[in-house]
Amino acid sequence: MDSFSNEKPIMHITAIIDAMLPHSKQSVFVKNSKIYFNDGDYCYLMTEGEAVICSVTSQKIIARVDAPFIFGFGFFQGSYLQTTTESIFNIIPSVTMLSVIRERNLWEHMYYNSRRNTYFAYKRERILNASSAYQIISALLCALDEERDDVRYTTPVVTYIQDNSSLSRSAIYNIISELKNGQYIEVKRGILIKLNKLPEKF
């Protein structure tokens, strides 16, 4: 893997999960199950399925993730996991996982996994700390445009922005309407069809 790539490090995540399987317990969670990380005593290794990570305080979506994915080691404190499909997790005590990492010398794999999580957090903070409602909406429109087709073409643009920010629905509607009128975006039946070059300022 290119050391400067922000692609999901699937090879490294899989290597970590494979090493943990003999030491973990498998559990199946139905769609819309909520998993709270609490004090970080356990790590959750997603081997099948999809989920969203949500803030406990605001209930807003922090990130959408799919298997393979590793939750734990304090990266998602103050948040919970909600499955969006039936999902399979292998659950392992954090101390056990750390012991296996040491024994198997999995630090390089952990580095790539941790860096990806840090990138998620950095990208999220940049969106939330934008100086105006328009900048937040602009960033989230770009994020929606990059989502998988099954998310992009089934999630109304206003709902996506509202789920990922603290902006009011009316504020979102007003800016989306102006962007549609200016032909910066194409929206049909609430779904983002096309994203053109957005203006720097609004």
PDB file of all heavy atoms in Angstrom, residues 37 52-65 75-80 117 120-121 123-125 127-128 140 147 160 163-165:
ATOM      1  N   PHE A  37     -19.859   1.592  23.040  1.00  0.00           N
ATOM      2  CA  PHE A  37     -18.483   1.205  23.325  1.00  0.00           C
ATOM      3  C   PHE A  37     -18.127   1.353  24.800  1.00  0.00           C
ATOM      4  O   PHE A  37     -17.147   0.798  25.276  1.00  0.00           O
ATOM      5  CB  PHE A  37     -17.521   2.031  22.464  1.00  0.00           C
ATOM      6  CG  PHE A  37     -17.742   1.819  20.992  1.00  0.00           C
ATOM      7  CD1 PHE A  37     -18.229   2.844  20.201  1.00  0.00           C
ATOM      8  CD2 PHE A  37     -17.491   0.601  20.406  1.00  0.00           C
ATOM      9  CE1 PHE A  37     -18.445   2.657  18.841  1.00  0.00           C
ATOM     10  CE2 PHE A  37     -17.708   0.388  19.055  1.00  0.00           C
ATOM     11  CZ  PHE A  37     -18.180   1.421  18.271  1.00  0.00           C
ATOM     12  N   VAL A  52     -23.410   2.504  10.818  1.00  0.00           N
ATOM     13  CA  VAL A  52     -23.050   3.911  10.970  1.00  0.00           C
ATOM     14  C   VAL A  52     -22.541   4.110  12.387  1.00  0.00           C
ATOM     15  O   VAL A  52     -23.002   3.461  13.328  1.00  0.00           O
ATOM     16  CB  VAL A  52     -24.237   4.862  10.692  1.00  0.00           C
ATOM     17  CG1 VAL A  52     -24.590   4.858   9.218  1.00  0.00           C
ATOM     18  CG2 VAL A  52     -25.454   4.496  11.537  1.00  0.00           C
ATOM     19  N   ILE A  53     -21.567   5.008  12.525  1.00  0.00           N
ATOM     20  CA  ILE A  53     -21.079   5.410  13.838  1.00  0.00           C
ATOM     21  C   ILE A  53     -21.758   6.733  14.162  1.00  0.00           C
ATOM     22  O   ILE A  53     -21.691   7.676  13.366  1.00  0.00           O
ATOM     23  CB  ILE A  53     -19.552   5.579  13.841  1.00  0.00           C
ATOM     24  CG1 ILE A  53     -18.869   4.291  13.363  1.00  0.00           C
ATOM     25  CG2 ILE A  53     -19.051   5.952  15.235  1.00  0.00           C
ATOM     26  CD1 ILE A  53     -17.386   4.442  13.122  1.00  0.00           C
ATOM     27  N   CYS A  54     -22.412   6.814  15.316  1.00  0.00           N
ATOM     28  CA  CYS A  54     -23.189   7.999  15.680  1.00  0.00           C
ATOM     29  C   CYS A  54     -22.704   8.586  16.998  1.00  0.00           C
ATOM     30  O   CYS A  54     -22.237   7.866  17.888  1.00  0.00           O
ATOM     31  CB  CYS A  54     -24.670   7.650  15.816  1.00  0.00           C
ATOM     32  SG  CYS A  54     -25.410   6.976  14.322  1.00  0.00           S
ATOM     33  N   SER A  55     -22.836   9.901  17.128  1.00  0.00           N
ATOM     34  CA  SER A  55     -22.509  10.581  18.367  1.00  0.00           C
ATOM     35  C   SER A  55     -23.580  10.288  19.415  1.00  0.00           C
ATOM     36  O   SER A  55     -24.770  10.372  19.129  1.00  0.00           O
ATOM     37  CB  SER A  55     -22.415  12.090  18.130  1.00  0.00           C
ATOM     38  OG  SER A  55     -22.411  12.801  19.354  1.00  0.00           O
ATOM     39  N   VAL A  56     -23.161   9.980  20.631  1.00  0.00           N
ATOM     40  CA  VAL A  56     -24.113   9.717  21.708  1.00  0.00           C
ATOM     41  C   VAL A  56     -24.878  10.987  22.055  1.00  0.00           C
ATOM     42  O   VAL A  56     -26.085  10.950  22.310  1.00  0.00           O
ATOM     43  CB  VAL A  56     -23.382   9.183  22.958  1.00  0.00           C
ATOM     44  CG1 VAL A  56     -24.321   9.136  24.167  1.00  0.00           C
ATOM     45  CG2 VAL A  56     -22.807   7.797  22.682  1.00  0.00           C
ATOM     46  N   THR A  57     -24.201  12.134  22.058  1.00  0.00           N
ATOM     47  CA  THR A  57     -24.839  13.374  22.487  1.00  0.00           C
ATOM     48  C   THR A  57     -25.768  13.967  21.435  1.00  0.00           C
ATOM     49  O   THR A  57     -26.880  14.387  21.748  1.00  0.00           O
ATOM     50  CB  THR A  57     -23.776  14.421  22.868  1.00  0.00           C
ATOM     51  OG1 THR A  57     -22.851  14.574  21.774  1.00  0.00           O
ATOM     52  CG2 THR A  57     -23.006  13.979  24.110  1.00  0.00           C
ATOM     53  N   SER A  58     -25.346  13.983  20.177  1.00  0.00           N
ATOM     54  CA  SER A  58     -26.148  14.628  19.141  1.00  0.00           C
ATOM     55  C   SER A  58     -26.969  13.654  18.302  1.00  0.00           C
ATOM     56  O   SER A  58     -27.870  14.062  17.579  1.00  0.00           O
ATOM     57  CB  SER A  58     -25.245  15.429  18.199  1.00  0.00           C
ATOM     58  OG  SER A  58     -24.436  14.563  17.415  1.00  0.00           O
ATOM     59  N   GLN A  59     -26.646  12.356  18.384  1.00  0.00           N
ATOM     60  CA  GLN A  59     -27.276  11.316  17.565  1.00  0.00           C
ATOM     61  C   GLN A  59     -26.931  11.453  16.079  1.00  0.00           C
ATOM     62  O   GLN A  59     -27.513  10.763  15.241  1.00  0.00           O
ATOM     63  CB  GLN A  59     -28.811  11.316  17.732  1.00  0.00           C
ATOM     64  CG  GLN A  59     -29.288  11.347  19.169  1.00  0.00           C
ATOM     65  CD  GLN A  59     -28.890  10.115  19.941  1.00  0.00           C
ATOM     66  OE1 GLN A  59     -29.135   9.013  19.502  1.00  0.00           O
ATOM     67  NE2 GLN A  59     -28.273  10.301  21.098  1.00  0.00           N
ATOM     68  N   LYS A  60     -26.030  12.355  15.729  1.00  0.00           N
ATOM     69  CA  LYS A  60     -25.666  12.564  14.334  1.00  0.00           C
ATOM     70  C   LYS A  60     -24.676  11.497  13.866  1.00  0.00           C
ATOM     71  O   LYS A  60     -23.912  10.937  14.651  1.00  0.00           O
ATOM     72  CB  LYS A  60     -25.060  13.951  14.134  1.00  0.00           C
ATOM     73  CG  LYS A  60     -26.009  15.101  14.491  1.00  0.00           C
ATOM     74  CD  LYS A  60     -27.247  15.098  13.622  1.00  0.00           C
ATOM     75  CE  LYS A  60     -28.171  16.265  13.941  1.00  0.00           C
ATOM     76  NZ  LYS A  60     -29.401  16.244  13.122  1.00  0.00           N
ATOM     77  N   ILE A  61     -24.707  11.240  12.563  1.00  0.00           N
ATOM     78  CA  ILE A  61     -23.815  10.244  11.984  1.00  0.00           C
ATOM     79  C   ILE A  61     -22.401  10.811  11.878  1.00  0.00           C
ATOM     80  O   ILE A  61     -22.187  11.904  11.354  1.00  0.00           O
ATOM     81  CB  ILE A  61     -24.310   9.807  10.600  1.00  0.00           C
ATOM     82  CG1 ILE A  61     -25.658   9.071  10.730  1.00  0.00           C
ATOM     83  CG2 ILE A  61     -23.283   8.902   9.913  1.00  0.00           C
ATOM     84  CD1 ILE A  61     -26.303   8.741   9.399  1.00  0.00           C
ATOM     85  N   ILE A  62     -21.443  10.050  12.382  1.00  0.00           N
ATOM     86  CA  ILE A  62     -20.030  10.431  12.283  1.00  0.00           C
ATOM     87  C   ILE A  62     -19.402   9.816  11.038  1.00  0.00           C
ATOM     88  O   ILE A  62     -18.638  10.456  10.327  1.00  0.00           O
ATOM     89  CB  ILE A  62     -19.265   9.976  13.538  1.00  0.00           C
ATOM     90  CG1 ILE A  62     -19.814  10.698  14.780  1.00  0.00           C
ATOM     91  CG2 ILE A  62     -17.770  10.219  13.389  1.00  0.00           C
ATOM     92  CD1 ILE A  62     -19.255  10.169  16.082  1.00  0.00           C
ATOM     93  N   ALA A  63     -19.743   8.574  10.775  1.00  0.00           N
ATOM     94  CA  ALA A  63     -19.181   7.881   9.603  1.00  0.00           C
ATOM     95  C   ALA A  63     -20.037   6.681   9.242  1.00  0.00           C
ATOM     96  O   ALA A  63     -20.728   6.112  10.091  1.00  0.00           O
ATOM     97  CB  ALA A  63     -17.751   7.435   9.882  1.00  0.00           C
ATOM     98  N   ARG A  64     -19.998   6.308   7.974  1.00  0.00           N
ATOM     99  CA  ARG A  64     -20.620   5.074   7.486  1.00  0.00           C
ATOM    100  C   ARG A  64     -19.496   4.100   7.196  1.00  0.00           C
ATOM    101  O   ARG A  64     -18.516   4.462   6.538  1.00  0.00           O
ATOM    102  CB  ARG A  64     -21.437   5.332   6.213  1.00  0.00           C
ATOM    103  CG  ARG A  64     -22.591   6.294   6.406  1.00  0.00           C
ATOM    104  CD  ARG A  64     -23.287   6.592   5.085  1.00  0.00           C
ATOM    105  NE  ARG A  64     -24.301   7.614   5.260  1.00  0.00           N
ATOM    106  CZ  ARG A  64     -25.564   7.367   5.572  1.00  0.00           C
ATOM    107  NH1 ARG A  64     -25.964   6.121   5.703  1.00  0.00           N
ATOM    108  NH2 ARG A  64     -26.424   8.342   5.724  1.00  0.00           N
ATOM    109  N   VAL A  65     -19.637   2.877   7.671  1.00  0.00           N
ATOM    110  CA  VAL A  65     -18.554   1.903   7.504  1.00  0.00           C
ATOM    111  C   VAL A  65     -19.130   0.557   7.062  1.00  0.00           C
ATOM    112  O   VAL A  65     -20.301   0.264   7.265  1.00  0.00           O
ATOM    113  CB  VAL A  65     -17.761   1.721   8.816  1.00  0.00           C
ATOM    114  CG1 VAL A  65     -17.079   3.026   9.214  1.00  0.00           C
ATOM    115  CG2 VAL A  65     -18.668   1.254   9.950  1.00  0.00           C
ATOM    116  N   PHE A  75     -10.897   4.916  19.811  1.00  0.00           N
ATOM    117  CA  PHE A  75     -11.111   5.770  18.642  1.00  0.00           C
ATOM    118  C   PHE A  75     -12.535   6.300  18.574  1.00  0.00           C
ATOM    119  O   PHE A  75     -12.769   7.342  17.978  1.00  0.00           O
ATOM    120  CB  PHE A  75     -10.794   5.013  17.353  1.00  0.00           C
ATOM    121  CG  PHE A  75      -9.379   5.188  16.899  1.00  0.00           C
ATOM    122  CD1 PHE A  75      -8.471   4.160  17.033  1.00  0.00           C
ATOM    123  CD2 PHE A  75      -8.951   6.389  16.356  1.00  0.00           C
ATOM    124  CE1 PHE A  75      -7.154   4.322  16.625  1.00  0.00           C
ATOM    125  CE2 PHE A  75      -7.635   6.569  15.952  1.00  0.00           C
ATOM    126  CZ  PHE A  75      -6.736   5.525  16.087  1.00  0.00           C
ATOM    127  N   PHE A  76     -13.471   5.591  19.167  1.00  0.00           N
ATOM    128  CA  PHE A  76     -14.867   5.988  19.013  1.00  0.00           C
ATOM    129  C   PHE A  76     -15.538   6.250  20.363  1.00  0.00           C
ATOM    130  O   PHE A  76     -16.702   5.958  20.553  1.00  0.00           O
ATOM    131  CB  PHE A  76     -15.621   4.916  18.221  1.00  0.00           C
ATOM    132  CG  PHE A  76     -14.971   4.628  16.890  1.00  0.00           C
ATOM    133  CD1 PHE A  76     -14.239   3.472  16.693  1.00  0.00           C
ATOM    134  CD2 PHE A  76     -15.077   5.536  15.852  1.00  0.00           C
ATOM    135  CE1 PHE A  76     -13.625   3.213  15.474  1.00  0.00           C
ATOM    136  CE2 PHE A  76     -14.466   5.293  14.631  1.00  0.00           C
ATOM    137  CZ  PHE A  76     -13.744   4.129  14.440  1.00  0.00           C
ATOM    138  N   GLN A  77     -14.754   6.802  21.300  1.00  0.00           N
ATOM    139  CA  GLN A  77     -15.335   7.185  22.583  1.00  0.00           C
ATOM    140  C   GLN A  77     -16.409   8.244  22.363  1.00  0.00           C
ATOM    141  O   GLN A  77     -16.270   9.120  21.512  1.00  0.00           O
ATOM    142  CB  GLN A  77     -14.250   7.733  23.509  1.00  0.00           C
ATOM    143  CG  GLN A  77     -13.245   6.687  23.983  1.00  0.00           C
ATOM    144  CD  GLN A  77     -13.891   5.649  24.890  1.00  0.00           C
ATOM    145  OE1 GLN A  77     -14.737   5.980  25.720  1.00  0.00           O
ATOM    146  NE2 GLN A  77     -13.506   4.389  24.735  1.00  0.00           N
ATOM    147  N   GLY A  78     -17.490   8.176  23.138  1.00  0.00           N
ATOM    148  CA  GLY A  78     -18.569   9.144  22.986  1.00  0.00           C
ATOM    149  C   GLY A  78     -19.468   8.856  21.800  1.00  0.00           C
ATOM    150  O   GLY A  78     -20.222   9.721  21.368  1.00  0.00           O
ATOM    151  N   SER A  79     -19.378   7.644  21.278  1.00  0.00           N
ATOM    152  CA  SER A  79     -20.193   7.295  20.116  1.00  0.00           C
ATOM    153  C   SER A  79     -20.745   5.884  20.284  1.00  0.00           C
ATOM    154  O   SER A  79     -20.350   5.138  21.181  1.00  0.00           O
ATOM    155  CB  SER A  79     -19.373   7.385  18.824  1.00  0.00           C
ATOM    156  OG  SER A  79     -18.278   6.482  18.868  1.00  0.00           O
ATOM    157  N   TYR A  80     -21.666   5.538  19.417  1.00  0.00           N
ATOM    158  CA  TYR A  80     -22.188   4.178  19.392  1.00  0.00           C
ATOM    159  C   TYR A  80     -22.310   3.724  17.946  1.00  0.00           C
ATOM    160  O   TYR A  80     -22.265   4.527  17.008  1.00  0.00           O
ATOM    161  CB  TYR A  80     -23.540   4.081  20.101  1.00  0.00           C
ATOM    162  CG  TYR A  80     -24.664   4.859  19.444  1.00  0.00           C
ATOM    163  CD1 TYR A  80     -25.476   4.283  18.464  1.00  0.00           C
ATOM    164  CD2 TYR A  80     -24.925   6.175  19.811  1.00  0.00           C
ATOM    165  CE1 TYR A  80     -26.496   4.990  17.862  1.00  0.00           C
ATOM    166  CE2 TYR A  80     -25.946   6.901  19.210  1.00  0.00           C
ATOM    167  CZ  TYR A  80     -26.734   6.304  18.246  1.00  0.00           C
ATOM    168  OH  TYR A  80     -27.745   7.015  17.635  1.00  0.00           O
ATOM    169  N   ASN A 117      -8.477   5.641  10.612  1.00  0.00           N
ATOM    170  CA  ASN A 117      -9.442   6.177  11.564  1.00  0.00           C
ATOM    171  C   ASN A 117      -9.162   7.647  11.880  1.00  0.00           C
ATOM    172  O   ASN A 117     -10.089   8.449  12.030  1.00  0.00           O
ATOM    173  CB  ASN A 117      -9.421   5.352  12.857  1.00  0.00           C
ATOM    174  CG  ASN A 117      -9.990   3.965  12.667  1.00  0.00           C
ATOM    175  OD1 ASN A 117     -10.721   3.713  11.707  1.00  0.00           O
ATOM    176  ND2 ASN A 117      -9.665   3.063  13.567  1.00  0.00           N
ATOM    177  N   PHE A 120     -10.478   9.728   9.082  1.00  0.00           N
ATOM    178  CA  PHE A 120     -11.924   9.887   9.224  1.00  0.00           C
ATOM    179  C   PHE A 120     -12.240  11.027  10.188  1.00  0.00           C
ATOM    180  O   PHE A 120     -13.065  11.886   9.914  1.00  0.00           O
ATOM    181  CB  PHE A 120     -12.555   8.596   9.773  1.00  0.00           C
ATOM    182  CG  PHE A 120     -13.158   7.716   8.710  1.00  0.00           C
ATOM    183  CD1 PHE A 120     -12.810   6.375   8.648  1.00  0.00           C
ATOM    184  CD2 PHE A 120     -14.070   8.195   7.794  1.00  0.00           C
ATOM    185  CE1 PHE A 120     -13.368   5.546   7.688  1.00  0.00           C
ATOM    186  CE2 PHE A 120     -14.633   7.375   6.832  1.00  0.00           C
ATOM    187  CZ  PHE A 120     -14.275   6.041   6.784  1.00  0.00           C
ATOM    188  N   ALA A 121     -11.580  10.982  11.367  1.00  0.00           N
ATOM    189  CA  ALA A 121     -11.844  11.974  12.409  1.00  0.00           C
ATOM    190  C   ALA A 121     -11.462  13.373  11.934  1.00  0.00           C
ATOM    191  O   ALA A 121     -12.194  14.348  12.166  1.00  0.00           O
ATOM    192  CB  ALA A 121     -11.071  11.617  13.675  1.00  0.00           C
ATOM    193  N   LYS A 123     -11.274  14.498   8.807  1.00  0.00           N
ATOM    194  CA  LYS A 123     -12.200  14.933   7.761  1.00  0.00           C
ATOM    195  C   LYS A 123     -13.524  15.380   8.362  1.00  0.00           C
ATOM    196  O   LYS A 123     -14.098  16.403   7.965  1.00  0.00           O
ATOM    197  CB  LYS A 123     -12.423  13.777   6.772  1.00  0.00           C
ATOM    198  CG  LYS A 123     -13.183  14.153   5.512  1.00  0.00           C
ATOM    199  CD  LYS A 123     -13.215  12.975   4.554  1.00  0.00           C
ATOM    200  CE  LYS A 123     -13.971  13.340   3.273  1.00  0.00           C
ATOM    201  NZ  LYS A 123     -14.005  12.193   2.325  1.00  0.00           N
ATOM    202  N   ARG A 124     -13.993  14.628   9.367  1.00  0.00           N
ATOM    203  CA  ARG A 124     -15.249  14.969  10.037  1.00  0.00           C
ATOM    204  C   ARG A 124     -15.133  16.309  10.763  1.00  0.00           C
ATOM    205  O   ARG A 124     -16.029  17.152  10.690  1.00  0.00           O
ATOM    206  CB  ARG A 124     -15.603  13.854  11.020  1.00  0.00           C
ATOM    207  CG  ARG A 124     -16.787  14.132  11.929  1.00  0.00           C
ATOM    208  CD  ARG A 124     -18.075  14.120  11.175  1.00  0.00           C
ATOM    209  NE  ARG A 124     -19.203  14.316  12.055  1.00  0.00           N
ATOM    210  CZ  ARG A 124     -20.437  14.529  11.647  1.00  0.00           C
ATOM    211  NH1 ARG A 124     -20.710  14.564  10.365  1.00  0.00           N
ATOM    212  NH2 ARG A 124     -21.417  14.702  12.501  1.00  0.00           N
ATOM    213  N   GLU A 125     -14.027  16.518  11.469  1.00  0.00           N
ATOM    214  CA  GLU A 125     -13.838  17.768  12.211  1.00  0.00           C
ATOM    215  C   GLU A 125     -13.765  18.967  11.273  1.00  0.00           C
ATOM    216  O   GLU A 125     -14.277  20.042  11.582  1.00  0.00           O
ATOM    217  CB  GLU A 125     -12.568  17.690  13.056  1.00  0.00           C
ATOM    218  CG  GLU A 125     -12.724  16.845  14.310  1.00  0.00           C
ATOM    219  CD  GLU A 125     -13.835  17.358  15.210  1.00  0.00           C
ATOM    220  OE1 GLU A 125     -13.834  18.559  15.523  1.00  0.00           O
ATOM    221  OE2 GLU A 125     -14.707  16.555  15.578  1.00  0.00           O
ATOM    222  N   ILE A 127     -15.314  19.318   8.489  1.00  0.00           N
ATOM    223  CA  ILE A 127     -16.683  19.618   8.056  1.00  0.00           C
ATOM    224  C   ILE A 127     -17.439  20.355   9.155  1.00  0.00           C
ATOM    225  O   ILE A 127     -18.054  21.401   8.926  1.00  0.00           O
ATOM    226  CB  ILE A 127     -17.426  18.319   7.675  1.00  0.00           C
ATOM    227  CG1 ILE A 127     -16.827  17.717   6.392  1.00  0.00           C
ATOM    228  CG2 ILE A 127     -18.923  18.594   7.485  1.00  0.00           C
ATOM    229  CD1 ILE A 127     -17.397  16.364   6.030  1.00  0.00           C
ATOM    230  N   LEU A 128     -17.372  19.840  10.370  1.00  0.00           N
ATOM    231  CA  LEU A 128     -18.148  20.414  11.468  1.00  0.00           C
ATOM    232  C   LEU A 128     -17.636  21.777  11.902  1.00  0.00           C
ATOM    233  O   LEU A 128     -18.392  22.584  12.445  1.00  0.00           O
ATOM    234  CB  LEU A 128     -18.148  19.452  12.670  1.00  0.00           C
ATOM    235  CG  LEU A 128     -18.865  18.119  12.442  1.00  0.00           C
ATOM    236  CD1 LEU A 128     -18.817  17.284  13.702  1.00  0.00           C
ATOM    237  CD2 LEU A 128     -20.311  18.348  12.021  1.00  0.00           C
ATOM    238  N   LEU A 140     -20.538  18.299   2.668  1.00  0.00           N
ATOM    239  CA  LEU A 140     -21.378  17.103   2.769  1.00  0.00           C
ATOM    240  C   LEU A 140     -21.950  16.697   1.417  1.00  0.00           C
ATOM    241  O   LEU A 140     -22.179  15.504   1.178  1.00  0.00           O
ATOM    242  CB  LEU A 140     -22.493  17.329   3.788  1.00  0.00           C
ATOM    243  CG  LEU A 140     -22.012  17.362   5.246  1.00  0.00           C
ATOM    244  CD1 LEU A 140     -23.134  17.759   6.187  1.00  0.00           C
ATOM    245  CD2 LEU A 140     -21.438  15.996   5.653  1.00  0.00           C
ATOM    246  N   GLU A 147     -20.259   8.658  -1.906  1.00  0.00           N
ATOM    247  CA  GLU A 147     -20.812   7.470  -1.259  1.00  0.00           C
ATOM    248  C   GLU A 147     -21.075   6.361  -2.283  1.00  0.00           C
ATOM    249  O   GLU A 147     -21.203   6.619  -3.482  1.00  0.00           O
ATOM    250  CB  GLU A 147     -22.133   7.808  -0.557  1.00  0.00           C
ATOM    251  CG  GLU A 147     -21.993   8.703   0.658  1.00  0.00           C
ATOM    252  CD  GLU A 147     -21.593   7.947   1.917  1.00  0.00           C
ATOM    253  OE1 GLU A 147     -21.244   6.747   1.821  1.00  0.00           O
ATOM    254  OE2 GLU A 147     -21.619   8.569   2.989  1.00  0.00           O
ATOM    255  N   TYR A 160     -29.484  13.394   4.326  1.00  0.00           N
ATOM    256  CA  TYR A 160     -28.060  13.090   4.490  1.00  0.00           C
ATOM    257  C   TYR A 160     -27.347  14.226   5.212  1.00  0.00           C
ATOM    258  O   TYR A 160     -26.570  13.998   6.153  1.00  0.00           O
ATOM    259  CB  TYR A 160     -27.423  12.851   3.125  1.00  0.00           C
ATOM    260  CG  TYR A 160     -25.967  12.438   3.184  1.00  0.00           C
ATOM    261  CD1 TYR A 160     -25.623  11.089   3.287  1.00  0.00           C
ATOM    262  CD2 TYR A 160     -24.950  13.381   3.126  1.00  0.00           C
ATOM    263  CE1 TYR A 160     -24.286  10.703   3.335  1.00  0.00           C
ATOM    264  CE2 TYR A 160     -23.608  13.001   3.178  1.00  0.00           C
ATOM    265  CZ  TYR A 160     -23.282  11.664   3.277  1.00  0.00           C
ATOM    266  OH  TYR A 160     -21.960  11.283   3.326  1.00  0.00           O
ATOM    267  N   ASP A 163     -28.571  14.463   8.879  1.00  0.00           N
ATOM    268  CA  ASP A 163     -28.046  13.371   9.701  1.00  0.00           C
ATOM    269  C   ASP A 163     -26.575  13.576  10.055  1.00  0.00           C
ATOM    270  O   ASP A 163     -26.088  13.005  11.046  1.00  0.00           O
ATOM    271  CB  ASP A 163     -28.191  12.027   8.985  1.00  0.00           C
ATOM    272  CG  ASP A 163     -29.620  11.516   9.002  1.00  0.00           C
ATOM    273  OD1 ASP A 163     -30.442  12.065   9.748  1.00  0.00           O
ATOM    274  OD2 ASP A 163     -29.913  10.566   8.245  1.00  0.00           O
ATOM    275  N   ASN A 164     -25.872  14.345   9.238  1.00  0.00           N
ATOM    276  CA  ASN A 164     -24.428  14.510   9.425  1.00  0.00           C
ATOM    277  C   ASN A 164     -24.023  15.880   9.942  1.00  0.00           C
ATOM    278  O   ASN A 164     -22.832  16.210   9.967  1.00  0.00           O
ATOM    279  CB  ASN A 164     -23.707  14.231   8.096  1.00  0.00           C
ATOM    280  CG  ASN A 164     -23.687  12.755   7.745  1.00  0.00           C
ATOM    281  OD1 ASN A 164     -22.832  12.011   8.202  1.00  0.00           O
ATOM    282  ND2 ASN A 164     -24.648  12.327   6.943  1.00  0.00           N
ATOM    283  N   SER A 165     -24.986  16.691  10.329  1.00  0.00           N
ATOM    284  CA  SER A 165     -24.669  18.031  10.832  1.00  0.00           C
ATOM    285  C   SER A 165     -25.740  18.472  11.816  1.00  0.00           C
ATOM    286  O   SER A 165     -26.738  17.778  12.013  1.00  0.00           O
ATOM    287  CB  SER A 165     -24.577  19.035   9.674  1.00  0.00           C
ATOM    288  OG  SER A 165     -25.876  19.328   9.169  1.00  0.00           O
TER     289      SER A 165
END
